[in-house]
Coordinates of all heavy atoms in Angstrom, one line a residue:
M1 N -9.9 3.5 -11.2 CA -10.0 4.2 -10.0 C -8.7 4.0 -9.3 O -8.0 3.1 -9.4 CB -11.2 3.7 -9.2 CG -12.5 3.9 -9.7 SD -13.0 5.7 -9.8 CE -12.8 6.2 -8.1
H2 N -8.5 5.0 -8.4 CA -7.3 4.9 -7.5 C -7.9 4.5 -6.1 O -8.9 4.9 -5.6 CB -6.6 6.2 -7.4 CG -5.9 6.5 -8.7 ND1 -6.3 7.5 -9.6 CD2 -4.6 6.0 -9.2 CE1 -5.5 7.5 -10.5 NE2 -4.4 6.6 -10.3
Y3 N -7.0 3.8 -5.4 CA -7.3 3.3 -4.0 C -6.1 3.5 -3.2 O -4.9 3.2 -3.7 CB -7.7 1.9 -4.0 CG -9.0 1.6 -4.8 CD1 -8.9 1.3 -6.2 CD2 -10.2 1.8 -4.2 CE1 -10.0 1.2 -6.9 CE2 -11.3 1.6 -4.9 CZ -11.3 1.3 -6.3 OH -12.4 1.2 -7.1
I4 N -6.2 4.0 -1.9 CA -5.1 4.1 -1.1 C -5.1 3.0 0.1 O -6.2 3.0 0.7 CB -5.0 5.6 -0.5 CG1 -4.9 6.5 -1.5 CG2 -3.7 5.6 0.5 CD1 -4.8 8.0 -1.0
L5 N -4.1 2.3 0.2 CA -4.0 1.3 1.3 C -3.2 1.9 2.4 O -2.1 2.3 2.2 CB -3.3 0.0 0.8 CG -3.0 -1.1 1.9 CD1 -4.2 -1.6 2.5 CD2 -2.2 -2.2 1.2
F6 N -3.8 2.1 3.6 CA -3.2 2.7 4.7 C -2.8 1.5 5.7 O -3.6 0.7 6.0 CB -4.0 3.6 5.5 CG -4.4 4.9 4.7 CD1 -5.5 5.0 4.0 CD2 -3.5 6.0 4.7 CE1 -5.8 6.2 3.2 CE2 -3.7 7.1 4.0 CZ -4.8 7.2 3.2
Y7 N -1.6 1.6 6.1 CA -1.0 0.6 7.2 C -0.8 1.3 8.5 O -0.3 2.5 8.4 CB 0.2 0.1 6.7 CG 0.1 -1.2 5.8 CD1 1.3 -1.7 5.3 CD2 -1.1 -1.8 5.4 CE1 1.3 -2.8 4.3 CE2 -1.0 -2.9 4.6 CZ 0.0 -3.4 4.0 OH 0.0 -4.4 3.2
E8 N -1.1 0.7 9.6 CA -0.5 1.1 10.8 C 0.4 0.1 11.3 O 0.1 -1.1 11.4 CB -1.7 1.2 12.0 CG -2.7 2.2 11.6 CD -3.9 2.3 12.5 OE1 -3.7 1.9 13.7 OE2 -5.0 2.8 12.2
Y9 N 1.6 0.4 11.7 CA 2.7 -0.5 12.1 C 2.6 -0.8 13.6 O 2.2 0.0 14.4 CB 4.0 0.1 11.8 CG 4.3 0.1 10.3 CD1 5.2 1.1 9.8 CD2 3.8 -0.8 9.5 CE1 5.5 1.2 8.4 CE2 4.2 -0.7 8.1 CZ 5.0 0.3 7.6 OH 5.4 0.3 6.3
A10 N 3.1 -2.0 14.0 CA 3.4 -2.3 15.3 C 4.6 -1.5 15.9 O 5.4 -1.0 15.1 CB 3.8 -3.8 15.4
P11 N 4.6 -1.3 17.1 CA 5.7 -0.5 17.8 C 7.1 -1.0 17.4 O 8.0 -0.2 17.3 CB 5.5 -0.5 19.3 CG 3.9 -0.8 19.4 CD 3.6 -1.7 18.2
D12 N 7.2 -2.3 17.2 CA 8.5 -2.8 17.0 C 8.8 -3.1 15.5 O 9.7 -3.9 15.1 CB 8.8 -4.1 17.8 CG 7.8 -5.3 17.5 OD1 6.8 -5.0 16.8 OD2 7.9 -6.4 18.0
Y13 N 8.1 -2.5 14.6 CA 8.1 -2.7 13.2 C 9.6 -2.4 12.7 O 10.1 -3.4 11.9 CB 7.2 -1.7 12.4 CG 7.5 -1.5 11.0 CD1 7.1 -2.5 10.1 CD2 8.2 -0.4 10.6 CE1 7.5 -2.2 8.7 CE2 8.6 -0.2 9.2 CZ 8.2 -1.1 8.3 OH 8.5 -1.0 7.0
L14 N 10.2 -1.5 13.1 CA 11.6 -1.3 12.4 C 12.5 -2.3 12.9 O 13.4 -2.9 12.1 CB 12.1 0.2 12.9 CG 11.5 1.3 12.3 CD1 12.1 2.7 13.0 CD2 11.6 1.4 10.8
E15 N 12.4 -2.8 14.0 CA 13.3 -4.0 14.4 C 13.0 -5.3 13.8 O 13.8 -6.1 13.6 CB 13.1 -4.2 16.0 CG 13.7 -3.0 16.9 CD 12.8 -1.9 17.0 OE1 11.6 -2.0 16.8 OE2 13.2 -0.7 17.2
R16 N 11.6 -5.5 13.4 CA 11.3 -6.8 12.9 C 11.2 -6.8 11.3 O 11.1 -8.0 10.8 CB 10.0 -7.2 13.5 CG 9.9 -7.4 14.9 CD 8.6 -7.7 15.6 NE 8.0 -8.8 14.9 CZ 6.6 -8.9 14.6 NH1 5.9 -8.0 15.1 NH2 6.2 -9.9 14.0
R17 N 11.2 -5.8 10.6 CA 10.9 -5.8 9.2 C 11.9 -6.5 8.4 O 11.6 -7.0 7.3 CB 10.6 -4.4 8.7 CG 11.9 -3.5 8.5 CD 11.7 -2.3 8.0 NE 12.9 -1.5 8.0 CZ 12.9 -0.3 7.5 NH1 12.0 0.2 6.8 NH2 14.2 0.3 7.4
G18 N 13.2 -6.5 8.8 CA 14.3 -7.1 7.9 C 14.0 -8.5 7.5 O 14.3 -8.9 6.4
E19 N 13.5 -9.3 8.4 CA 13.1 -10.7 8.1 C 12.2 -10.9 7.0 O 12.2 -11.8 6.3 CB 12.6 -11.4 9.4 CG 12.2 -12.7 9.3 CD 11.7 -13.4 10.5 OE1 11.7 -12.8 11.5 OE2 11.3 -14.7 10.5
F20 N 11.3 -9.9 6.8 CA 10.2 -10.0 5.9 C 10.3 -9.0 4.7 O 9.4 -9.1 3.7 CB 8.8 -9.8 6.6 CG 8.7 -10.7 7.7 CD1 8.8 -10.2 9.0 CD2 8.4 -12.0 7.6 CE1 8.6 -11.0 10.1 CE2 8.3 -12.9 8.7 CZ 8.4 -12.4 10.0
R21 N 11.3 -8.2 4.7 CA 11.4 -7.0 3.7 C 11.5 -7.6 2.3 O 10.8 -7.1 1.4 CB 12.5 -6.2 4.0 CG 12.6 -4.9 3.2 CD 13.6 -3.9 3.8 NE 13.9 -2.8 3.0 CZ 13.2 -1.8 2.9 NH1 12.1 -1.7 3.5 NH2 13.5 -0.8 2.0
D22 N 12.3 -8.6 2.0 CA 12.5 -9.1 0.6 C 11.2 -9.7 0.1 O 10.8 -9.4 -1.1 CB 13.6 -10.1 0.5 CG 15.0 -9.6 0.7 OD1 15.2 -8.3 0.6 OD2 15.9 -10.4 1.0
Q23 N 10.4 -10.4 0.9 CA 9.1 -10.9 0.5 C 8.0 -9.8 0.2 O 7.4 -9.9 -0.7 CB 8.6 -11.9 1.6 CG 9.4 -13.1 1.8 CD 9.0 -13.8 3.1 OE1 7.9 -13.5 3.7 NE2 9.8 -14.8 3.5
H24 N 8.2 -8.8 1.2 CA 7.2 -7.7 1.0 C 7.5 -6.9 -0.3 O 6.7 -6.6 -1.1 CB 7.4 -6.7 2.2 CG 6.7 -5.4 2.0 ND1 5.4 -5.2 2.2 CD2 7.2 -4.1 1.7 CE1 5.1 -3.9 2.1 NE2 6.3 -3.3 1.7
L25 N 8.8 -6.7 -0.6 CA 9.2 -6.0 -1.8 C 9.0 -6.8 -3.2 O 8.6 -6.3 -4.1 CB 10.7 -5.6 -1.8 CG 10.9 -4.5 -0.7 CD1 12.5 -4.2 -0.7 CD2 10.1 -3.2 -0.9
A26 N 9.0 -8.2 -3.0 CA 8.8 -9.0 -4.2 C 7.2 -8.9 -4.5 O 6.9 -8.9 -5.5 CB 9.2 -10.5 -3.9
L27 N 6.4 -8.9 -3.4 CA 5.0 -8.7 -3.6 C 4.7 -7.4 -4.3 O 3.8 -7.3 -5.2 CB 4.3 -8.8 -2.3 CG 2.7 -8.7 -2.4 CD1 2.1 -10.0 -2.9 CD2 2.2 -8.6 -0.9
A28 N 5.4 -6.3 -3.8 CA 5.2 -5.0 -4.4 C 5.6 -5.0 -6.0 O 4.9 -4.5 -6.8 CB 6.0 -4.0 -3.7
K29 N 6.8 -5.6 -6.2 CA 7.3 -5.7 -7.6 C 6.3 -6.4 -8.5 O 6.0 -5.9 -9.6 CB 8.6 -6.4 -7.6 CG 9.2 -6.4 -8.9 CD 10.6 -7.1 -9.1 CE 11.1 -7.1 -10.5 NZ 12.2 -8.0 -10.7
A30 N 5.7 -7.5 -8.1 CA 4.8 -8.2 -8.9 C 3.4 -7.3 -9.2 O 3.0 -7.4 -10.3 CB 4.4 -9.6 -8.2
S31 N 3.1 -6.6 -8.2 CA 1.9 -5.8 -8.3 C 2.2 -4.6 -9.2 O 1.4 -4.2 -10.1 CB 1.4 -5.3 -7.0 OG 0.3 -4.5 -7.0
I32 N 3.5 -4.1 -9.2 CA 3.9 -3.0 -10.0 C 3.9 -3.5 -11.6 O 3.4 -2.8 -12.4 CB 5.3 -2.5 -9.8 CG1 5.3 -1.7 -8.4 CG2 5.9 -1.6 -10.8 CD1 6.6 -1.4 -7.7
E33 N 4.4 -4.8 -11.7 CA 4.5 -5.3 -13.1 C 3.1 -5.6 -13.7 O 2.9 -5.5 -14.9 CB 5.2 -6.6 -13.0 CG 6.7 -6.3 -12.7 CD 7.6 -7.6 -12.6 OE1 7.0 -8.8 -12.5 OE2 8.9 -7.5 -12.6
R34 N 2.0 -5.8 -12.7 CA 0.7 -6.0 -13.2 C 0.0 -4.7 -13.5 O -1.1 -4.6 -13.9 CB -0.1 -6.8 -12.2 CG 0.3 -8.3 -12.1 CD -0.7 -9.1 -11.4 NE -0.9 -8.5 -10.0 CZ -0.1 -8.9 -9.0 NH1 0.9 -9.8 -9.2 NH2 -0.3 -8.4 -7.7
G35 N 0.7 -3.6 -13.1 CA 0.1 -2.3 -13.3 C -0.8 -1.8 -12.3 O -1.7 -0.9 -12.5
E36 N -0.8 -2.4 -11.1 CA -1.7 -2.1 -10.0 C -1.2 -1.1 -9.1 O -1.7 -0.2 -8.5 CB -2.0 -3.4 -9.3 CG -2.7 -4.5 -10.2 CD -2.7 -5.9 -9.5 OE1 -1.9 -6.1 -8.5 OE2 -3.4 -6.7 -10.0
F37 N 0.1 -1.5 -8.6 CA 0.8 -0.7 -7.5 C 1.4 0.6 -8.2 O 2.2 0.5 -9.1 CB 1.9 -1.6 -7.0 CG 2.7 -1.1 -5.8 CD1 2.6 -1.8 -4.5 CD2 3.4 0.1 -5.8 CE1 3.2 -1.4 -3.5 CE2 4.1 0.5 -4.7 CZ 4.1 -0.2 -3.5
F38 N 1.0 1.7 -7.7 CA 1.3 2.9 -8.4 C 2.5 3.7 -7.7 O 3.4 4.2 -8.3 CB 0.1 3.8 -8.5 CG 0.2 5.1 -9.3 CD1 0.4 5.1 -10.6 CD2 0.3 6.3 -8.6 CE1 0.5 6.2 -11.3 CE2 0.3 7.5 -9.4 CZ 0.4 7.4 -10.7
L39 N 2.3 3.8 -6.3 CA 3.4 4.5 -5.5 C 3.2 4.1 -4.0 O 2.0 3.9 -3.7 CB 3.1 6.0 -5.7 CG 4.1 7.0 -5.1 CD1 5.4 6.9 -5.8 CD2 3.5 8.4 -5.2
G40 N 4.1 3.9 -3.4 CA 4.0 3.5 -2.0 C 5.3 3.9 -1.1 O 6.4 4.0 -1.7
G41 N 5.1 3.9 0.2 CA 6.2 3.9 1.1 C 5.8 4.2 2.6 O 4.6 4.4 2.8
A42 N 6.7 4.1 3.4 CA 6.4 4.2 4.8 C 6.4 5.7 5.3 O 7.1 6.5 4.7 CB 7.5 3.4 5.6
F43 N 5.7 6.0 6.3 CA 5.7 7.3 6.9 C 7.0 7.4 7.7 O 7.5 6.4 8.2 CB 4.5 7.6 7.8 CG 3.2 7.5 7.1 CD1 2.1 6.8 7.7 CD2 3.0 8.3 5.9 CE1 1.0 6.7 6.9 CE2 1.8 8.1 5.3 CZ 0.8 7.4 5.7
A44 N 7.6 8.6 7.8 CA 8.7 8.9 8.6 C 8.5 9.8 9.7 O 7.7 10.6 9.7 CB 9.8 9.4 7.6
D45 N 9.3 9.6 10.8 CA 9.3 10.5 11.9 C 8.0 10.9 12.5 O 7.5 12.0 12.4 CB 10.2 11.7 11.5 CG 10.6 12.5 12.7 OD1 10.7 11.9 13.9 OD2 10.9 13.7 12.5
P46 N 7.3 10.0 13.0 CA 7.6 8.5 13.4 C 7.2 7.6 12.2 O 6.3 7.8 11.5 CB 6.8 8.3 14.6 CG 5.6 9.1 14.4 CD 6.0 10.3 13.7
A47 N 7.9 6.4 12.2 CA 7.7 5.4 11.3 C 6.6 4.5 11.9 O 6.7 3.4 12.3 CB 9.0 4.6 11.1
D48 N 5.4 5.0 11.8 CA 4.2 4.3 12.4 C 3.2 3.8 11.4 O 2.1 3.3 11.9 CB 3.6 5.3 13.4 CG 3.0 6.5 12.8 OD1 3.3 6.8 11.5 OD2 2.4 7.3 13.5
G49 N 3.5 3.9 10.2 CA 2.5 3.4 9.0 C 3.1 3.6 7.8 O 4.2 4.1 7.5
A50 N 2.2 3.4 6.7 CA 2.6 3.5 5.4 C 1.3 3.8 4.5 O 0.1 3.6 5.0 CB 3.3 2.2 4.9
A51 N 1.5 4.2 3.3 CA 0.5 4.3 2.3 C 0.9 3.9 1.1 O 2.1 4.1 0.6 CB 0.0 5.9 2.2
I52 N 0.0 3.2 0.3 CA 0.2 2.7 -1.0 C -0.9 3.0 -1.9 O -2.1 2.7 -1.6 CB 0.5 1.1 -1.0 CG1 1.6 0.7 0.0 CG2 0.8 0.6 -2.4 CD1 1.6 -0.7 0.2
V53 N -0.6 3.6 -3.1 CA -1.6 4.0 -4.0 C -1.8 2.9 -5.1 O -0.7 2.6 -5.7 CB -1.3 5.3 -4.7 CG1 -2.5 5.7 -5.7 CG2 -1.2 6.4 -3.7
F54 N -2.9 2.4 -5.3 CA -3.2 1.4 -6.3 C -4.1 1.9 -7.4 O -4.9 2.8 -7.1 CB -3.9 0.2 -5.7 CG -3.0 -0.7 -4.8 CD1 -2.8 -0.3 -3.5 CD2 -2.2 -1.7 -5.3 CE1 -2.0 -1.1 -2.6 CE2 -1.4 -2.5 -4.5 CZ -1.3 -2.1 -3.1
K55 N -4.1 1.3 -8.6 CA -5.1 1.6 -9.6 C -5.7 0.2 -10.0 O -4.9 -0.7 -10.2 CB -4.3 2.2 -10.8 CG -5.3 2.7 -11.9 CD -4.7 3.5 -13.0 CE -5.7 4.0 -13.9 NZ -5.1 4.9 -14.8
G56 N -7.0 0.3 -10.1 CA -7.7 -1.0 -10.4 C -9.2 -0.8 -10.5 O -9.6 0.4 -10.4
D57 N -9.9 -1.8 -10.8 CA -11.3 -1.7 -11.1 C -12.1 -1.7 -9.7 O -13.2 -1.3 -9.7 CB -11.8 -2.9 -12.0 CG -11.3 -2.9 -13.4 OD1 -11.0 -1.7 -13.8 OD2 -11.0 -3.9 -14.0
S58 N -11.5 -2.2 -8.7 CA -12.2 -2.2 -7.4 C -11.2 -2.2 -6.2 O -9.9 -2.3 -6.5 CB -13.0 -3.5 -7.3 OG -12.2 -4.6 -7.0
R59 N -11.6 -2.0 -5.1 CA -10.8 -1.9 -3.9 C -10.1 -3.3 -3.7 O -9.1 -3.3 -2.9 CB -11.5 -1.5 -2.7 CG -12.6 -2.6 -2.2 CD -13.4 -2.2 -1.0 NE -12.6 -1.7 0.2 CZ -12.1 -2.7 1.1 NH1 -12.2 -3.9 0.8 NH2 -11.4 -2.2 2.1
D60 N -10.5 -4.3 -4.2 CA -10.0 -5.7 -4.0 C -8.5 -5.7 -4.5 O -7.8 -6.5 -3.9 CB -10.7 -6.7 -4.9 CG -12.2 -7.0 -4.3 OD1 -12.4 -6.5 -3.3 OD2 -13.0 -7.5 -5.1
V61 N -8.1 -4.9 -5.4 CA -6.7 -4.9 -5.8 C -5.8 -4.5 -4.6 O -4.7 -5.2 -4.3 CB -6.4 -4.1 -7.0 CG1 -6.6 -2.6 -6.7 CG2 -5.0 -4.2 -7.6
A62 N -6.2 -3.6 -3.7 CA -5.4 -3.2 -2.7 C -5.6 -4.1 -1.5 O -4.7 -4.5 -0.8 CB -5.8 -1.7 -2.2
A63 N -6.9 -4.6 -1.3 CA -7.1 -5.5 -0.2 C -6.4 -6.8 -0.4 O -5.9 -7.4 0.6 CB -8.6 -5.7 -0.1
S64 N -6.3 -7.2 -1.6 CA -5.6 -8.6 -1.9 C -4.1 -8.4 -1.6 O -3.5 -9.3 -1.2 CB -5.8 -9.0 -3.4 OG -7.3 -9.3 -3.6
F65 N -3.6 -7.3 -1.9 CA -2.1 -7.0 -1.6 C -2.0 -7.2 0.0 O -1.1 -7.8 0.3 CB -1.8 -5.6 -2.1 CG -0.3 -5.3 -1.8 CD1 0.6 -5.6 -2.8 CD2 0.1 -4.7 -0.7 CE1 2.1 -5.3 -2.5 CE2 1.5 -4.5 -0.3 CZ 2.4 -4.8 -1.3
A66 N -2.8 -6.4 0.7 CA -2.6 -6.4 2.1 C -2.8 -7.8 2.7 O -2.0 -8.3 3.6 CB -3.7 -5.5 2.7
E67 N -3.8 -8.6 2.2 CA -4.0 -9.9 2.7 C -2.8 -10.8 2.4 O -2.6 -11.8 3.2 CB -5.3 -10.4 2.2 CG -6.5 -9.8 2.7 CD -7.8 -10.0 2.0 OE1 -7.8 -10.7 0.9 OE2 -8.9 -9.5 2.5
A68 N -2.1 -10.5 1.4 CA -0.9 -11.4 1.0 C 0.4 -10.9 1.5 O 1.5 -11.6 1.4 CB -0.8 -11.5 -0.5
D69 N 0.3 -9.7 2.1 CA 1.7 -9.0 2.5 C 2.2 -9.7 3.8 O 1.6 -9.8 4.8 CB 1.4 -7.6 2.8 CG 2.6 -6.8 3.0 OD1 3.7 -7.4 3.2 OD2 2.5 -5.6 3.0
P70 N 3.5 -10.1 3.7 CA 4.1 -10.7 4.9 C 4.2 -9.8 6.1 O 4.1 -10.2 7.3 CB 5.5 -11.1 4.4 CG 5.6 -10.9 3.0 CD 4.3 -10.1 2.6
Y71 N 4.1 -8.6 5.9 CA 4.1 -7.5 7.0 C 2.8 -7.7 7.8 O 2.7 -7.6 9.0 CB 4.3 -6.1 6.5 CG 5.6 -5.7 6.1 CD1 5.9 -4.4 5.6 CD2 6.7 -6.6 6.1 CE1 7.1 -4.0 5.2 CE2 8.0 -6.2 5.8 CZ 8.2 -4.9 5.4 OH 9.4 -4.5 5.0
V72 N 1.7 -7.9 7.1 CA 0.4 -8.1 7.7 C 0.3 -9.4 8.2 O -0.1 -9.6 9.4 CB -0.7 -7.9 6.6 CG1 -2.1 -8.3 7.2 CG2 -0.7 -6.5 6.0
I73 N 0.6 -10.5 7.5 CA 0.5 -11.9 8.0 C 1.3 -12.1 9.3 O 0.9 -12.9 10.1 CB 1.1 -12.8 6.8 CG1 0.0 -12.7 5.7 CG2 1.2 -14.2 7.4 CD1 0.6 -13.4 4.4
N74 N 2.5 -11.5 9.4 CA 3.3 -11.7 10.6 C 3.2 -10.6 11.6 O 4.1 -10.5 12.5 CB 4.8 -11.8 10.1 CG 5.0 -13.0 9.3 OD1 5.0 -14.2 9.8 ND2 5.0 -12.9 8.0
G75 N 2.1 -9.8 11.5 CA 1.9 -8.8 12.7 C 2.6 -7.6 12.8 O 2.6 -6.9 13.7
L76 N 3.4 -7.3 11.7 CA 4.1 -6.0 11.7 C 3.1 -4.8 11.4 O 3.4 -3.7 11.8 CB 5.2 -6.0 10.6 CG 6.6 -6.6 11.0 CD1 6.4 -8.1 11.1 CD2 7.7 -6.2 10.1
V77 N 2.1 -5.2 10.7 CA 1.0 -4.2 10.5 C -0.2 -4.6 11.4 O -0.6 -5.8 11.3 CB 0.5 -4.3 8.9 CG1 -0.8 -3.5 8.8 CG2 1.6 -3.8 8.0
T78 N -0.6 -3.6 12.2 CA -1.6 -4.0 13.2 C -2.9 -3.8 12.7 O -3.9 -4.2 13.3 CB -1.4 -3.2 14.6 OG1 -1.3 -1.9 14.2 CG2 0.1 -3.6 15.1
A79 N -3.1 -2.8 11.7 CA -4.4 -2.6 11.1 C -4.2 -1.9 9.7 O -3.1 -1.4 9.5 CB -5.1 -1.5 12.0
W80 N -5.1 -2.1 8.8 CA -5.1 -1.5 7.5 C -6.5 -1.3 7.0 O -7.4 -1.9 7.5 CB -4.4 -2.5 6.5 CG -4.9 -3.9 6.4 CD1 -4.6 -5.0 7.0 CD2 -5.8 -4.3 5.3 NE1 -5.4 -6.1 6.6 CE2 -6.1 -5.7 5.6 CE3 -6.6 -3.7 4.3 CZ2 -7.0 -6.4 4.7 CZ3 -7.5 -4.4 3.7 CH2 -7.6 -5.7 3.8
Q81 N -6.5 -0.3 6.1 CA -7.7 0.0 5.5 C -7.5 0.5 4.1 O -6.5 1.0 3.8 CB -8.5 1.0 6.3 CG -8.0 2.5 6.3 CD -8.9 3.5 6.8 OE1 -10.1 3.5 6.6 NE2 -8.3 4.4 7.6
V82 N -8.5 0.3 3.3 CA -8.5 0.7 1.8 C -9.5 1.8 1.7 O -10.7 1.7 2.1 CB -8.8 -0.4 0.8 CG1 -8.8 0.1 -0.6 CG2 -7.8 -1.5 1.1
R83 N -9.1 2.9 1.1 CA -10.0 4.1 0.8 C -9.9 4.4 -0.7 O -8.9 4.4 -1.3 CB -9.5 5.4 1.5 CG -9.5 5.3 3.0 CD -10.9 5.4 3.6 NE -11.7 6.5 3.2 CZ -11.7 7.7 3.6 NH1 -11.0 8.0 4.7 NH2 -12.5 8.7 3.2
E84 N -11.2 4.5 -1.3 CA -11.3 4.9 -2.7 C -10.8 6.3 -2.8 O -11.1 7.2 -2.0 CB -12.7 4.8 -3.3 CG -12.8 5.1 -4.6 CD -14.2 4.8 -5.3 OE1 -14.7 3.9 -4.7 OE2 -14.5 5.4 -6.1
W85 N -9.9 6.7 -3.8 CA -9.4 8.1 -3.9 C -9.9 8.6 -5.2 O -9.5 8.1 -6.3 CB -8.0 8.0 -3.8 CG -7.2 9.3 -3.7 CD1 -7.7 10.5 -3.2 CD2 -5.9 9.6 -4.1 NE1 -6.7 11.5 -3.3 CE2 -5.5 10.9 -3.8 CE3 -4.9 8.8 -4.6 CZ2 -4.3 11.4 -4.0 CZ3 -3.7 9.3 -4.9 CH2 -3.4 10.6 -4.7
T86 N -10.7 9.7 -5.3 CA -11.1 10.3 -6.5 C -10.2 11.3 -6.9 O -10.0 12.4 -6.3 CB -12.6 10.9 -6.3 OG1 -13.5 10.0 -5.9 CG2 -13.0 11.5 -7.5
T87 N -9.4 11.0 -7.9 CA -8.2 11.8 -8.3 C -8.7 12.8 -9.4 O -9.3 12.2 -10.5 CB -7.0 11.0 -8.8 OG1 -7.5 10.1 -9.8 CG2 -6.4 10.3 -7.6
V88 N -8.5 14.0 -9.3 CA -8.9 15.1 -10.3 C -7.9 15.9 -10.8 O -8.2 16.6 -11.8 CB -10.0 15.9 -9.7 CG1 -11.3 15.0 -9.3 CG2 -9.6 16.7 -8.5
A89 N -6.8 15.9 -10.3 CA -5.7 16.8 -10.8 C -4.3 16.0 -11.0 O -4.1 15.1 -10.1 CB -5.4 18.0 -9.9
G90 N -3.6 16.2 -11.9 CA -2.3 15.6 -12.1 C -2.4 14.7 -13.4 O -3.4 14.4 -13.9
K91 N -1.2 14.4 -13.9 CA -1.2 13.7 -15.2 C -1.7 12.3 -15.1 O -2.2 11.8 -16.2 CB 0.3 13.6 -15.7 CG 1.2 12.8 -14.9 CD 2.5 12.7 -15.5 CE 3.5 11.7 -14.9 NZ 3.2 10.3 -15.2
D92 N -1.9 11.7 -14.0 CA -2.5 10.4 -13.9 C -3.8 10.3 -13.2 O -4.4 9.2 -12.8 CB -1.5 9.4 -13.1 CG -0.2 9.2 -13.9 OD1 -0.3 8.8 -15.1 OD2 0.8 9.4 -13.3
A93 N -4.5 11.5 -13.1 CA -5.9 11.6 -12.5 C -6.8 10.8 -13.3 O -6.9 10.8 -14.5 CB -6.2 13.1 -12.3
E94 N -7.8 10.1 -12.6 CA -8.7 9.3 -13.1 C -9.8 10.1 -13.8 O -10.4 9.8 -14.7 CB -9.3 8.4 -12.1 CG -10.2 7.3 -12.6 CD -9.4 6.2 -13.4 OE1 -8.3 6.0 -13.1 OE2 -10.1 5.5 -14.2
H95 N -10.2 11.2 -13.1 CA -11.2 12.2 -13.6 C -10.7 13.5 -13.6 O -11.1 14.4 -12.8 CB -12.4 12.1 -12.7 CG -12.9 10.7 -12.4 ND1 -13.7 10.1 -13.3 CD2 -12.8 9.9 -11.4 CE1 -14.1 8.9 -12.8 NE2 -13.5 8.8 -11.7
P96 N -9.8 13.9 -14.5 CA -9.1 15.2 -14.6 C -10.0 16.4 -14.9 O -10.8 16.3 -15.8 CB -8.1 15.0 -15.8 CG -8.5 13.9 -16.5 CD -9.4 13.0 -15.7
V97 N -9.9 17.3 -14.0 CA -10.6 18.7 -14.2 C -9.6 19.7 -14.4 O -9.9 20.8 -14.8 CB -11.5 19.1 -13.0 CG1 -12.7 18.0 -13.0 CG2 -10.8 19.1 -11.7
V98 N -8.3 19.4 -14.1 CA -7.2 20.3 -14.3 C -6.3 19.7 -15.5 O -5.8 18.6 -15.2 CB -6.4 20.6 -13.1 CG1 -5.2 21.5 -13.4 CG2 -7.3 21.1 -12.0
P99 N -6.1 20.3 -16.6 CA -5.4 19.7 -17.6 C -3.9 19.6 -17.3 O -3.3 20.3 -16.5 CB -5.5 20.6 -18.9 CG -6.2 21.9 -18.4 CD -6.7 21.6 -17.0

């Protein structure tokens, strides 16, 4: 299954992220290497949040990422949620109905 992790950023996120960015990216890299982290990035204009797509057996793969993320731990992310995403189109769709 696919899961999307949504982040809401603190108003001063851009000013504070530098201190934690390397740790955040290392966490992402480890998740990519395990085959969990599929695609992710911050929203632009305004930079008020982010979305990360995960693949796994349960929402725990995304929730565990958020709980370990230095952005969350240090208050750069003010809220997060995981949504199950039923993918039906595209080469990596879990339940393809469009070839």
Side-chain angles (χ1 to χ4, degrees):
M1 291 297 302
H2 289 105
Y3 299 88
I4 302 177
L5 172 62
F6 291 98
Y7 278 173
E8 292 178 29
Y9 288 152
D12 61 352
Y13 161 78
L14 290 175
E15 293 80 20
R16 296 180 51 214
R17 74 175 174 172
E19 180 181 354
F20 307 105
R21 189 168 169 82
D22 288 345
Q23 296 167 11
H24 169 77
L25 294 176
L27 183 69
K29 182 180 180 191
S31 185
I32 290 166
E33 290 171 352
R34 289 191 301 272
E36 301 163 346
F37 190 117
F38 188 69
L39 186 67
F43 299 132
D45 199 20
D48 60 354
I52 305 170
V53 178
F54 290 88
K55 186 170 185 174
D57 293 332
S58 76
R59 69 180 304 280
D60 292 344
V61 69
S64 294
F65 181 92
E67 291 164 353
D69 191 345
Y71 287 178
V72 172
I73 293 167
N74 292 286
L76 280 74
V77 172
T78 59
W80 59 270
Q81 68 168 319
V82 177
R83 297 284 311 269
E84 186 174 328
W85 188 28
T86 305
T87 53
V88 297
K91 68 179 186 73
D92 294 312
E94 190 73 21
H95 305 283
V97 295
V98 177

